[in-house]
């Protein structure tokens, strides 16, 4: 089969969880004999010029803009019945490029990686194509505190995801907890769901020296859930560790956040 894989993030090099998952999925599909075609919202980075042995073709858009509109447009988007982020970044010209890529590559299956890509793939109307969404991440929209704003955000997210999945044939969750939540809280009408957990390549156990007072967090702080994790750790856990072990150090090895957030941390 010809499979078009649509993703906001170019999968190579596999330097974070999203890229590891998507690159491993492409490798497994290619190993099974499928022809994989990639459409990314961003061009390949200089650190990954290719070749890409698991891909039959690579394309990307030149129109993608990651910046958000001005404050007035952003504020008015709060009144929309769907999550603000997706309404602010959606681009009709990008959808047309994805539709053309599916036609030109005669795709039998289109896989959308994460909801940013799903918002476009869901709009494809070629009934011949099987559409699959991987990476719903429903818990990313939940909050540790229940407020009117958090309740409205969850309501918008459920409504948006239900509308999206009703236009897909299948969806993939990374855990049974996610799958159960989607089935019960979102309840898509006909899309089939399954779980494909995240994993990693096994390697030999590390046998070098160990610094018992060094704590390492490997997540990228440009991802909101990771930033919230580090914020919580520093506020609620790290002070107790420092009181017990004054020489302890904490290192974050993932991608740095913006300068203001880095200074705050």
């Amino acid at each position: 089969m010809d499979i078009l894989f649509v993703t906001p993030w170019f999968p190579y090099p596999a330097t974070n969880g999203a890229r590891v998952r998507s690159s491993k999925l492409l490798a497994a599909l290619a190993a099974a004999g499928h022809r994989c075609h990639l459409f990314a919202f961003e061009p390949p980075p200089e650190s990954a010029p290719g070749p890409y042995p698991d891909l039959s073709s690579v394309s990307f858009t030149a129109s993608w803009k990651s910046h958000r509109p001005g404050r007035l447009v952003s504020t008015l988007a709060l009144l929309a019945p769907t999550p603000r982020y997706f309404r602010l970044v959606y681009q009709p010209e990008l959808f047309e490029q994805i539709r053309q890529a599916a036609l030109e590559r005669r795709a039998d299956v289109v896989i959308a990686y994460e909801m940013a890509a799903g918002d476009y793939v869901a709009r494809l109307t070629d009934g011949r194509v099987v559409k699959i969404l991987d990476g719903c991440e429903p818990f990313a929209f939940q909050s540790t505190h229940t407020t009117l704003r958090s309740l409205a955000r969850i309501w918008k997210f459920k409504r948006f995801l239900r509308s999206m999945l009703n236009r897909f044939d299948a969806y993939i969750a990374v855990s049974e907890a996610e799958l159960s939540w989607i089935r019960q809280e979102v309840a898509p009408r006909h899309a089939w769901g399954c779980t494909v957990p995240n994993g990693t390549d096994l390697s030999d156990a590390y046998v070098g020296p160990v610094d018992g007072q060094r704590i390492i967090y490997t997540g990228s702080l440009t991802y909101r859930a990771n930033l919230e994790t580090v914020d919580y750790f520093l506020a609620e856990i790290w002070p107790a560790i420092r009181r017990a072990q004054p020489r302890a150090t904490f290192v974050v090895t993932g991608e740095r956040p913006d300068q203001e957030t880095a200074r705050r941390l």
Side-chain angles (χ1 to χ4, degrees):
M1 290 192 298
D2 283 280
I3 299 175
L4 178 64
F5 190 83
V6 182
T7 173
W9 324 109
F10 201 83
Y12 313 100
T15 54
N16 61 26
R19 291 180 172 89
V20 169
R21 182 176 176 89
S22 55
S23 62
K24 293 297 185 183
L25 175 58
L26 288 166
L29 290 171
H34 302 295
R35 291 178 295 276
C36 298
H37 308 274
L38 178 72
F39 186 98
F41 291 9
E42 61 181 15
E46 294 182 358
S47 57
Y52 314 106
D54 300 321
L55 301 177
S56 297
S57 70
V58 176
S59 57
F60 53 89
T61 180
S63 64
W64 172 250
K65 303 179 183 67
S66 60
H67 67 274
R68 298 186 180 187
R71 179 175 296 180
L72 176 60
V73 174
S74 181
T75 302
L76 291 175
L78 286 171
L79 303 177
T82 53
R84 177 171 63 166
Y85 170 79
F86 296 102
R87 294 285 62 82
L88 291 177
V89 302
Y90 179 79
Q91 299 175 30
E93 60 270 26
L94 178 53
F95 166 72
E96 182 58 28
Q97 293 172 37
I98 294 172
R99 190 184 70 83
Q100 287 293 334
L103 288 174
E104 292 170 1
R105 289 155 180 79
R106 299 180 179 180
D108 303 293
V109 177
V110 180
I111 299 176
Y113 185 67
E114 296 188 346
M115 291 179 61
D119 194 20
Y120 292 93
V121 173
R123 301 167 191 265
L124 297 174
T125 57
D126 186 349
R128 180 185 61 84
V129 173
V130 175
K131 296 184 291 185
I132 302 173
L133 175 63
D134 182 25
C136 302
E137 294 195 325
F139 301 145
F141 284 80
Q142 297 195 24
S143 174
T144 55
H145 304 288
T146 300
T147 63
L148 287 177
R149 182 173 182 178
S150 68
L151 291 174
R153 183 169 58 185
I154 289 295
W155 178 83
K156 286 184 177 185
F157 174 76
K158 288 180 182 179
R159 184 179 182 275
F160 182 64
L161 182 56
R162 182 181 301 112
S163 174
M164 182 183 296
L165 289 179
N166 284 337
R167 291 178 284 174
F168 274 87
D169 298 285
Y171 62 94
I172 303 171
V174 302
S175 69
E176 288 297 325
E178 281 193 1
L179 184 63
S180 177
W181 190 90
I182 294 170
R183 286 174 172 170
Q184 295 177 15
E185 300 292 334
V186 179
R189 287 196 298 268
H190 70 274
W192 176 78
C194 70
T195 300
V196 177
N198 286 325
T200 186
D201 290 327
L202 297 178
S203 59
D204 294 335
Y206 177 70
V207 294
V210 175
D211 183 350
Q213 297 197 15
R214 192 182 199 195
I215 299 173
I216 299 176
Y217 183 78
T218 61
S220 170
L221 297 189
T222 57
Y223 178 48
R224 184 173 65 86
N226 290 350
L227 179 57
E228 289 179 353
T229 298
V230 170
D231 266 328
Y232 177 84
F233 176 82
L234 291 175
E236 303 295 333
I237 301 174
W238 182 237
I241 294 176
R242 287 298 298 271
R243 285 194 296 269
Q245 298 288 339
R247 296 179 58 191
T249 58
F250 179 51
V251 181
V252 178
T253 63
E255 188 175 351
R256 291 175 60 88
D258 60 86
Q259 292 185 357
E260 181 180 350
T261 302
R263 285 194 298 268
R264 176 177 63 79
L265 294 175

